[in-house]
Amino acid sequence: MFGNYLIGLREGLEASLVVCILIAYLVKTERRDALRPIWIGIGAACAIAFGFGCALTFGSQELTFKAQEALGGSLSILAVALVTWMVFWMRRTARHLKAELHGKLDAALQMGTGALVATAFLAVGREGLETALFVWASVRASGDGTPGPLIGVLLGLATAIALGWLFYKGTVRINLAKFFTWTGAMLVVVAAGVLAYGVHDLQEAEFLGGLQDKAFDISATIPPDSWYGTLLKGIFNFQPDPTVAQVTVWLLYLIPTLAFFFAPVRSTRRETPVKEKATAPE
């Protein structure tokens, strides 16, 4: 459940910050007349993301078992690719996010209502679609027939919305650079588990071989239905009897990705070091 909570929190907070920046900029520049198109774009983006999640959930139920496994495995791998790109993108561009959004909003204000709706829709919609896909893949990987994974995601999103509101009001201050670094690293660990689960799905769909080649089996030591087995599965998508392919893919993804993630970021521009903290967006 914690892993899914982290996904909801991390992804939801990015979207919340985007909304805060857009709304705060319009209020500060006394362009409250442009708030309605912005909210329309945000609402449309949320609706599209929700509809996408529902289509993934209910649409796959009509497929055969092998088709479900093939679809689930393929989308899990796609979700890991997208979330990995997003984590590195946010790490590199978070400092300039506000200026980038302000520039796009200024251009949209000159072009009219339609451009404002499109700006808000695209800014939030990308985050929403990525979140819906990764949440679906993660819930599917860690789901055990209980509502726990979905509850974790919803609690994470609720926390993100609350934090976004507090940031907007200037009530909360946190070091966003450290927050996105450590949550990003934990999200990479979660993504590694989703990737391994996706490989297992493709093996069950007979797209990949090696389903019977177990790397190890510690089910007797860590029973899947024990409280600690459930905890490990909920946080890390841990499986006590993974295949050789799953362990290989997990290691090949996790180790180099974390190494690159914690490597120093090379900037092409000279900047004065700034201690980044979240406060009321200006």
Side-chain angles (χ1 to χ4, degrees):
M1 183 172 176
F2 174 76
N4 294 287
Y5 174 82
L6 174 65
I7 295 170
L9 175 62
R10 178 64 161 71
E11 302 294 299
L13 187 57
E14 286 186 23
S16 294
L17 288 176
V18 168
V19 172
C20 287
I21 291 171
L22 293 175
I23 299 301
Y25 185 65
L26 291 177
V27 171
K28 184 179 179 180
T29 56
E30 299 183 355
R31 289 300 309 270
R32 292 178 180 271
D33 57 300
L35 288 176
R36 187 170 179 230
I38 292 294
W39 282 117
I40 291 175
I42 292 171
C46 292
I48 291 293
F50 180 76
F52 180 55
C54 289
L56 289 174
T57 301
F58 299 110
S60 62
Q61 294 178 357
E62 303 299 324
L63 302 175
T64 64
F65 172 76
K66 287 187 177 181
Q68 286 184 19
E69 298 303 295
L71 177 64
S74 302
L75 291 180
S76 293
I77 293 172
L78 176 61
V80 170
L82 288 174
V83 80
T84 303
W85 173 84
M86 177 274 300
V87 165
F88 278 91
W89 177 83
M90 179 57 74
R91 175 175 174 265
R92 184 175 296 274
T93 63
R95 177 173 297 185
H96 314 293
L97 181 62
K98 182 185 292 187
E100 180 181 337
L101 288 173
H102 285 179
K104 291 181 179 179
L105 199 52
D106 283 335
L109 285 169
Q110 296 177 2
M111 295 176 65
T113 301
L116 287 171
V117 173
T119 298
F121 177 81
L122 293 175
V124 178
R126 186 196 64 187
E127 301 287 348
L129 291 175
E130 288 178 356
T131 301
L133 178 58
F134 193 62
V135 164
W136 178 83
S138 181
V139 169
R140 190 174 186 276
S142 61
D144 53 2
T146 68
L150 184 57
I151 291 174
V153 171
L154 294 176
L155 288 175
L157 290 173
T159 303
I161 293 172
L163 286 175
W165 172 254
L166 293 175
F167 290 159
Y168 178 79
K169 303 300 289 185
T171 306
V172 168
R173 289 173 177 268
I174 65 172
N175 190 313
L176 284 179
K178 289 184 178 180
F179 175 85
F180 281 121
T181 295
W182 290 109
T183 57
M186 288 187 286
L187 203 56
V188 168
V189 175
V190 174
V194 173
L195 180 61
Y197 189 87
V199 169
H200 184 266
D201 277 352
L202 293 179
Q203 288 179 313
E204 289 195 325
E206 298 181 359
F207 271 59
L208 297 176
L211 183 60
Q212 304 305 322
D213 299 331
K214 300 296 183 181
F216 52 82
D217 189 346
I218 55 175
S219 300
T221 305
I222 307 179
D225 56 352
S226 64
W227 69 266
Y228 44 91
T230 303
L231 182 65
L232 288 173
K233 183 174 180 60
I235 297 177
F236 302 111
N237 289 313
F238 173 78
Q239 183 178 337
D241 58 343
T243 64
V244 173
Q246 284 182 273
V247 173
T248 302
V249 167
W250 188 84
L251 291 172
L252 289 177
Y253 170 82
L254 184 65
I255 295 175
T257 302
L258 284 180
F260 280 115
F261 183 75
F262 283 112
V265 178
R266 294 182 180 180
S267 178
T268 57
R269 62 177 76 178
R270 294 182 179 178
E271 297 174 348
T272 303
V274 177
K275 186 176 182 181
E276 298 178 25
K277 287 190 176 181
T279 182
E282 297 179 358

